Amino acid sequence: MKKTIYFVAGSQGLYGKETLERVDKDSAEIASFLSGGIAAAEIKYYGVATDSGQILKMAREANFDGDCIGVIVWCHTFSPAKMWIKGLKTLQKPMLHLHTQYNEKLPYDTIDMDFMNLNQAAHGDREFGFICARLGLNNAVVTGYYRHKRVVGEIARWAGAAAAYDYSFNLKVARFGDNMREVAVTEGNKVSAQIQFGWEVNTYGTGALVEEIAKVTDNDAECLLKEYSRLYTFKTGDTAAVAEQAKYEIAMKRFFAERGVGAFTNTFEDLYGMKQLPGLATQRLMAEGIGFGAEGDWKTACLGAVMMKMAEGVGRCAESGGTGKAAGATGFMEDYTYDLTEGGELVLGAHMLEVPLAFAATKPAVEVHPLGIGGKEPPARLVFDGVCGKGIAVSLVDMGGRFKLSAANIELVPQPKAMPRLPVARVMWKILPDHASGVSRWIREGGAHHTVVSTALSAADMKTLADLWKIDCIVIG
Ligand code: MN
């Protein structure tokens, strides 16, 4: 079911019936226009608010409405802002203040005082903005004529963040095994995370997954293997190893569906009863929007799931020339190793196995190689070269008492040379503004080695989401 965003016009009783009817008509028209341009939600025109009781009622309805992911407020006329205090203090949904006008241009030849009184958002919205600032709301503000592409685009991206925020507060992550022993950055306070982000972070014994894997029939695995051979090039004769991953994929999908889980973690240190570390299976689950963090990294798993949801929502509707989905890839990554050629420094991003399929620029190859750690059988994985383009690398860390988001602007580039002996998928990028200052800043801010990389989202999108979550977000480059 499509989510909704309420559109509320602020006014007051002072102007009389005729003016308020006009405010109502114009506002409904703006809401309807915007609804045609925004992919994440339908804009539902709520009405004109003229006193504190109506505003409180709106806030309560928005809070109670499970489909409502946010509220857009615009003051066509002057709306004395003390009447907004009660409602804004009650409102628990994200709010965007749209600072626009019904008319684009001034009617120089005909402008009179009636026109001035009807079209006074320029000062009405300042009064509204003051009370938002006074209440410390830190809400989004979009300024400009509502039919301009840039304005619709900014609202669409905020709507995507609001949808991601809504999703965040319904997200469950399954942890198979604890965090990798001795690792610091993947740790974090789970209660704090649930308060701040809504994430339900719970653990399951690896044995519970092993039981689910045992229930997968050979026939089910065979069917999935056929799908693999249609989609990928096989560079292995060890189909038994690949079939094992097919079983993991089927089992995890069932396990998550039964429990409403949208993200997961595992660790090579706790695969009790499993033959391989899930590689190919994890890569394919990420392609379906399931968040993943390796070595028990539940923060990155959840961040990935939320960012994939946001990437789905920040686009504009087809009616206004968009696809409804931001083009690009989003998923789990690790800063693995560097090319430190002076002036041409590059990061090689990958992981032991679990590189998201979304980043594949070449037809993935199914390969089976030993892992070197974990003491299990050689796992099957999908190997490919990565996509190019502008992007961001984002990490979420727990600084003790507060969470911090770091977003680095990066540019994904073609890999300079083939790497025939590297048995994992890989992506290469430049960190901006330059390697030395970008990476030094990242390290001084405590940014993690696990990230979510996205070519669909921008650092500004992450800032919007961080504001909704009420956490700090530092931007690099
Ligand atoms: Mn790792």
Side-chain angles (χ1 to χ4, degrees), residues 294-295 332 334 351 449-450:
E295 290 101 27
F332 175 69
E334 177 169 273
H351 204 259
H449 58 278
H450 283 172

Side-chain angles (χ1 to χ4, degrees), residues 20 67 93 102 115 124 145 160 175 200 206 228 298 382 431 444:
L20 287 177
D67 289 323
K93 298 288 167 90
Y102 180 68
F115 180 91
Y145 185 54
R175 302 167 64 234
E200 296 176 37
T206 306
Y228 296 171
W298 52 269
L382 292 165
I431 186 160
R444 292 190 65 196

Side-chain angles (χ1 to χ4, degrees), residues 18 41 63 74 79 120 154 218 226 230 245 258 337 345 368 393 447 455:
E18 205 177 306
N63 289 347
W74 166 57
S79 183
Q120 51 177 316
E154 282 182 28
D218 290 340
K226 277 186 195 137
R230 270 203 311 276
Q245 291 282 337
E258 213 168 283
T337 191
E345 291 89 346
V368 177
T455 59

